[in-house]
Amino acid sequence: MAMMVGRAAASLVRSRASALPPAIRRPHGQFAMLARGFSETRFAKTHEWVQVDGEVGTLGISDFAQGQLGEVVYCDLPDEGATFKASETLCTLESVKAVGEVYAPAACEAVSVNEKLSDEPSLVNKSPESDGWLVKIKLTGDVSQLLDRAAYDKHVEAESKEEEASHGGRTSVDATLAMTSMSSIHSL
């Protein structure tokens, strides 16, 4: 009897997985642990996330951003001790599609970088909001303008709709690739 109840519960959980937001859903019906920790992840409208714990924050790009960027093949990370003003380019990510700039969410200093990315830059794609973090920063500026997850998700949804409308249903990356392809064809 306990086995049947367990299977029924597992089936119910799997069937409800598609109703959850992507941040909670995992492949094959697995779920991320939902626990409130000492810090909260906040997002910039430019698609960076920062998880602050005291004066130090861990910075990366959102799942949406990595999807737009495509397969990351190289991460140009800052030197430890480098300082940045708010909205200044902190590092760049090179992908097979484009080069993306990652901006400082506030005035900060680079404390350490994710050394794993030099050997495996694809971690940015595989685990953008966890193992694919980019830089640990000491925040010296205000981060109150950053969005919580719900507000960020609404921002992404609105931005996606605007992009589709302005590009006839294609994303900006698709439109850029189409224009590049067309210019290559015209040059033949």
Side-chain angles (χ1 to χ4, degrees), residues 151-180:
Y152 176 71
D153 288 345
K154 286 180 184 176
H155 167 71
V156 167
E157 185 178 331
E159 190 175 88
S160 295
K161 285 179 183 176
E162 285 177 21
E163 233 176 78
E164 285 180 19
S166 68
H167 295 293
R170 294 181 296 189
T171 65
S172 60
V173 172
D174 292 337
T176 302
L177 291 174
M179 290 188 304
T180 303

Side-chain angles (χ1 to χ4, degrees), residues 23 29 32 54 68 84 87 90 107 109 115 124-125 135 143 149 153 163 166:
Q68 292 292 303
F84 302 90
S87 302
L90 193 131
E109 176 185 342
E115 299 291 343
V124 172
N125 299 106
V135 185
V143 294
R149 170 69 72 182
D153 288 345
E163 233 176 78
S166 68

Side-chain angles (χ1 to χ4, degrees), residues 32-111:
M33 292 297 287
L34 299 176
R36 186 163 184 90
F38 293 110
S39 58
E40 182 181 6
T41 303
R42 307 292 284 192
F43 296 85
K45 289 184 176 182
T46 51
H47 307 292
E48 295 84 10
W49 60 264
V50 63
Q51 187 173 39
V52 181
D53 191 7
E55 290 183 357
V56 176
T58 302
L59 179 91
I61 64 169
S62 69
D63 186 53
F64 174 80
Q66 72 79 25
Q68 292 292 303
L69 190 56
E71 181 186 348
V72 175
V73 294
Y74 179 73
C75 302
D76 186 14
L77 302 175
D79 293 327
E80 293 176 13
T83 58
F84 302 90
K85 296 176 184 171
S87 302
E88 188 175 10
T89 300
L90 193 131
C91 64
T92 57
L93 302 175
E94 295 181 21
S95 77
V96 295
K97 290 183 182 180
V99 174
E101 294 182 306
V102 178
Y103 303 106
C108 61
E109 176 185 342
V111 177

